[in-house]
PDB file of all heavy atoms in Angstrom:
ATOM      1  N   THR A  62      47.205  14.513 111.203  1.00  0.00           N
ATOM      2  CA  THR A  62      48.135  13.741 110.385  1.00  0.00           C
ATOM      3  C   THR A  62      47.459  13.428 109.061  1.00  0.00           C
ATOM      4  O   THR A  62      46.252  13.613 108.912  1.00  0.00           O
ATOM      5  CB  THR A  62      48.554  12.425 111.077  1.00  0.00           C
ATOM      6  OG1 THR A  62      47.384  11.654 111.329  1.00  0.00           O
ATOM      7  CG2 THR A  62      49.295  12.691 112.365  1.00  0.00           C
ATOM      8  N   ALA A  63      48.236  12.937 108.107  1.00  0.00           N
ATOM      9  CA  ALA A  63      47.679  12.587 106.813  1.00  0.00           C
ATOM     10  C   ALA A  63      46.623  11.502 106.968  1.00  0.00           C
ATOM     11  O   ALA A  63      46.699  10.666 107.871  1.00  0.00           O
ATOM     12  CB  ALA A  63      48.786  12.119 105.875  1.00  0.00           C
ATOM     13  N   VAL A  64      45.646  11.516 106.093  1.00  0.00           N
ATOM     14  CA  VAL A  64      44.544  10.554 106.170  1.00  0.00           C
ATOM     15  C   VAL A  64      45.037   9.131 105.942  1.00  0.00           C
ATOM     16  O   VAL A  64      44.660   8.225 106.668  1.00  0.00           O
ATOM     17  CB  VAL A  64      43.445  10.924 105.143  1.00  0.00           C
ATOM     18  CG1 VAL A  64      42.343   9.887 105.150  1.00  0.00           C
ATOM     19  CG2 VAL A  64      42.885  12.297 105.445  1.00  0.00           C
ATOM     20  N   PHE A  65      45.887   8.940 104.967  1.00  0.00           N
ATOM     21  CA  PHE A  65      46.407   7.612 104.656  1.00  0.00           C
ATOM     22  C   PHE A  65      47.856   7.547 105.101  1.00  0.00           C
ATOM     23  O   PHE A  65      48.734   8.131 104.480  1.00  0.00           O
ATOM     24  CB  PHE A  65      46.277   7.295 103.167  1.00  0.00           C
ATOM     25  CG  PHE A  65      44.858   7.337 102.690  1.00  0.00           C
ATOM     26  CD1 PHE A  65      44.397   8.394 101.927  1.00  0.00           C
ATOM     27  CD2 PHE A  65      43.975   6.325 103.026  1.00  0.00           C
ATOM     28  CE1 PHE A  65      43.088   8.442 101.493  1.00  0.00           C
ATOM     29  CE2 PHE A  65      42.673   6.357 102.599  1.00  0.00           C
ATOM     30  CZ  PHE A  65      42.215   7.418 101.838  1.00  0.00           C
ATOM     31  N   GLY A  66      48.109   6.840 106.191  1.00  0.00           N
ATOM     32  CA  GLY A  66      49.457   6.749 106.727  1.00  0.00           C
ATOM     33  C   GLY A  66      49.757   7.961 107.596  1.00  0.00           C
ATOM     34  O   GLY A  66      48.965   8.889 107.701  1.00  0.00           O
ATOM     35  N   ASP A  67      50.901   7.934 108.224  1.00  0.00           N
ATOM     36  CA  ASP A  67      51.266   9.060 109.074  1.00  0.00           C
ATOM     37  C   ASP A  67      52.576   9.689 108.614  1.00  0.00           C
ATOM     38  O   ASP A  67      53.398  10.117 109.412  1.00  0.00           O
ATOM     39  CB  ASP A  67      51.335   8.628 110.535  1.00  0.00           C
ATOM     40  CG  ASP A  67      52.334   7.510 110.771  1.00  0.00           C
ATOM     41  OD1 ASP A  67      52.820   6.942 109.783  1.00  0.00           O
ATOM     42  OD2 ASP A  67      52.631   7.223 111.939  1.00  0.00           O
ATOM     43  N   GLU A  68      52.785   9.770 107.291  1.00  0.00           N
ATOM     44  CA  GLU A  68      54.010  10.340 106.749  1.00  0.00           C
ATOM     45  C   GLU A  68      53.974  11.862 106.716  1.00  0.00           C
ATOM     46  O   GLU A  68      54.982  12.494 106.443  1.00  0.00           O
ATOM     47  CB  GLU A  68      54.287   9.817 105.331  1.00  0.00           C
ATOM     48  CG  GLU A  68      54.733   8.370 105.265  1.00  0.00           C
ATOM     49  CD  GLU A  68      53.574   7.390 105.348  1.00  0.00           C
ATOM     50  OE1 GLU A  68      52.457   7.756 104.941  1.00  0.00           O
ATOM     51  OE2 GLU A  68      53.783   6.269 105.832  1.00  0.00           O
ATOM     52  N   THR A  69      52.817  12.478 106.946  1.00  0.00           N
ATOM     53  CA  THR A  69      52.690  13.932 106.927  1.00  0.00           C
ATOM     54  C   THR A  69      52.004  14.391 108.206  1.00  0.00           C
ATOM     55  O   THR A  69      50.933  13.896 108.543  1.00  0.00           O
ATOM     56  CB  THR A  69      51.876  14.394 105.703  1.00  0.00           C
ATOM     57  OG1 THR A  69      52.472  13.855 104.522  1.00  0.00           O
ATOM     58  CG2 THR A  69      51.868  15.905 105.601  1.00  0.00           C
ATOM     59  N   TRP A  70      52.641  15.340 108.892  1.00  0.00           N
ATOM     60  CA  TRP A  70      52.084  15.926 110.105  1.00  0.00           C
ATOM     61  C   TRP A  70      51.744  17.388 109.837  1.00  0.00           C
ATOM     62  O   TRP A  70      52.480  18.093 109.158  1.00  0.00           O
ATOM     63  CB  TRP A  70      53.080  15.849 111.256  1.00  0.00           C
ATOM     64  CG  TRP A  70      53.287  14.479 111.810  1.00  0.00           C
ATOM     65  CD1 TRP A  70      52.740  13.309 111.378  1.00  0.00           C
ATOM     66  CD2 TRP A  70      54.120  14.126 112.914  1.00  0.00           C
ATOM     67  NE1 TRP A  70      53.177  12.259 112.131  1.00  0.00           N
ATOM     68  CE2 TRP A  70      54.030  12.737 113.093  1.00  0.00           C
ATOM     69  CE3 TRP A  70      54.939  14.845 113.768  1.00  0.00           C
ATOM     70  CZ2 TRP A  70      54.714  12.061 114.093  1.00  0.00           C
ATOM     71  CZ3 TRP A  70      55.632  14.177 114.765  1.00  0.00           C
ATOM     72  CH2 TRP A  70      55.509  12.801 114.931  1.00  0.00           C
ATOM     73  N   TYR A  71      50.616  17.827 110.403  1.00  0.00           N
ATOM     74  CA  TYR A  71      50.164  19.206 110.247  1.00  0.00           C
ATOM     75  C   TYR A  71      50.065  19.862 111.625  1.00  0.00           C
ATOM     76  O   TYR A  71      49.416  19.333 112.525  1.00  0.00           O
ATOM     77  CB  TYR A  71      48.786  19.257 109.574  1.00  0.00           C
ATOM     78  CG  TYR A  71      48.750  18.624 108.205  1.00  0.00           C
ATOM     79  CD1 TYR A  71      48.302  17.314 108.032  1.00  0.00           C
ATOM     80  CD2 TYR A  71      49.158  19.332 107.088  1.00  0.00           C
ATOM     81  CE1 TYR A  71      48.269  16.731 106.782  1.00  0.00           C
ATOM     82  CE2 TYR A  71      49.121  18.749 105.829  1.00  0.00           C
ATOM     83  CZ  TYR A  71      48.675  17.456 105.688  1.00  0.00           C
ATOM     84  OH  TYR A  71      48.643  16.874 104.450  1.00  0.00           O
ATOM     85  N   TYR A  72      50.690  21.016 111.758  1.00  0.00           N
ATOM     86  CA  TYR A  72      50.548  21.856 112.944  1.00  0.00           C
ATOM     87  C   TYR A  72      49.762  23.085 112.495  1.00  0.00           C
ATOM     88  O   TYR A  72      50.248  23.891 111.710  1.00  0.00           O
ATOM     89  CB  TYR A  72      51.918  22.257 113.491  1.00  0.00           C
ATOM     90  CG  TYR A  72      52.700  21.090 114.036  1.00  0.00           C
ATOM     91  CD1 TYR A  72      53.548  20.357 113.226  1.00  0.00           C
ATOM     92  CD2 TYR A  72      52.582  20.720 115.374  1.00  0.00           C
ATOM     93  CE1 TYR A  72      54.267  19.277 113.726  1.00  0.00           C
ATOM     94  CE2 TYR A  72      53.294  19.637 115.878  1.00  0.00           C
ATOM     95  CZ  TYR A  72      54.131  18.928 115.046  1.00  0.00           C
ATOM     96  OH  TYR A  72      54.833  17.856 115.547  1.00  0.00           O
ATOM     97  N   ILE A  73      48.533  23.207 112.975  1.00  0.00           N
ATOM     98  CA  ILE A  73      47.600  24.220 112.474  1.00  0.00           C
ATOM     99  C   ILE A  73      47.218  25.173 113.601  1.00  0.00           C
ATOM    100  O   ILE A  73      46.895  24.735 114.708  1.00  0.00           O
ATOM    101  CB  ILE A  73      46.327  23.551 111.911  1.00  0.00           C
ATOM    102  CG1 ILE A  73      46.698  22.511 110.855  1.00  0.00           C
ATOM    103  CG2 ILE A  73      45.368  24.590 111.350  1.00  0.00           C
ATOM    104  CD1 ILE A  73      45.566  21.581 110.478  1.00  0.00           C
TER     105      ILE A  73
END
Side-chain angles (χ1 to χ4, degrees):
T62 59
V64 176
F65 301 105
D67 59 349
E68 288 81 28
T69 306
W70 288 3
Y71 301 98
Y72 293 90
I73 305 166

